[in-house]
Amino acid sequence: MQTAQNAKQDASSVLDGLQGDVLFRTGSAEITPEIAHEIQVLAQAVAKSPALKVRLDGYADPRGTVDTNLKLSQDRANAVRDLFLAAGIGDEVLEVNAYGKSQSVAADSDGYALERRVRLTLQAQGGAAVAQVRASE
């Protein structure tokens, strides 16, 4: 029994330090099959680490209206959330936030591409971030 507990703690430490984003096309909340697979692999690791919580922060680039971008960033975060739910991760482990274009700092089309994202952050239950996971389009 102690070995199983140690394995769960080790899984959390392996995830420590990963960081990143799921990137999207302009005006889209669609996730490619390749990225969906990567999220499923991550969900399997989260399932083995019950001390982890997954925070999903959705963003949009500055083009478009405030309302449209807020909805788009929510749709993107929900698309990632739905993949975690489908992989068996409970809703109580997931935190979903949407920011629209409110935190945009991009000045050109290259910068815009990096703002069309959902940031995944793995956090230890009860506080500090354990990891952020990066996946690209």
Side-chain angles (χ1 to χ4, degrees):
M1 186 63 149
Q2 185 62 32
T3 303
Q5 184 66 23
N6 289 342
K8 288 180 181 179
Q9 290 172 346
D10 288 345
S12 293
S13 65
V14 167
L15 294 173
D16 190 25
L18 298 175
Q19 58 181 330
D21 303 317
V22 175
L23 300 178
F24 293 84
R25 294 188 181 281
T26 302
S28 176
E30 184 178 330
I31 298 174
T32 65
E34 296 83 12
I35 298 301
H37 175 73
E38 290 180 27
I39 292 170
Q40 290 170 344
V41 170
L42 176 61
Q44 292 170 358
V46 169
K48 294 176 184 175
S49 304
L52 293 178
K53 179 178 179 180
V54 181
R55 180 176 166 160
L56 305 169
D57 295 313
Y59 301 91
D61 69 36
R63 298 171 294 177
T65 67
V66 170
D67 291 341
T68 298
N69 281 321
L70 185 59
K71 181 180 181 331
L72 183 57
S73 65
Q74 184 72 53
D75 290 347
R76 289 171 173 164
N78 287 341
V80 176
R81 180 207 60 204
D82 291 348
L83 289 172
F84 276 97
L85 292 173
I89 301 301
D91 197 42
E92 69 281 357
V93 175
L94 303 170
E95 176 186 340
V96 178
N97 302 295
Y99 300 101
K101 65 180 183 178
S102 68
Q103 297 184 12
S104 176
V105 294
D108 60 23
S109 60
D110 289 337
Y112 295 163
L114 298 175
E115 292 194 335
R116 297 187 302 265
R117 71 186 188 280
V118 170
R119 170 146 301 150
L120 286 82
T121 305
L122 300 184
Q123 298 174 316
Q125 293 285 358
V130 173
Q132 293 181 333
V133 180
R134 183 171 196 99
S136 61
E137 186 172 33

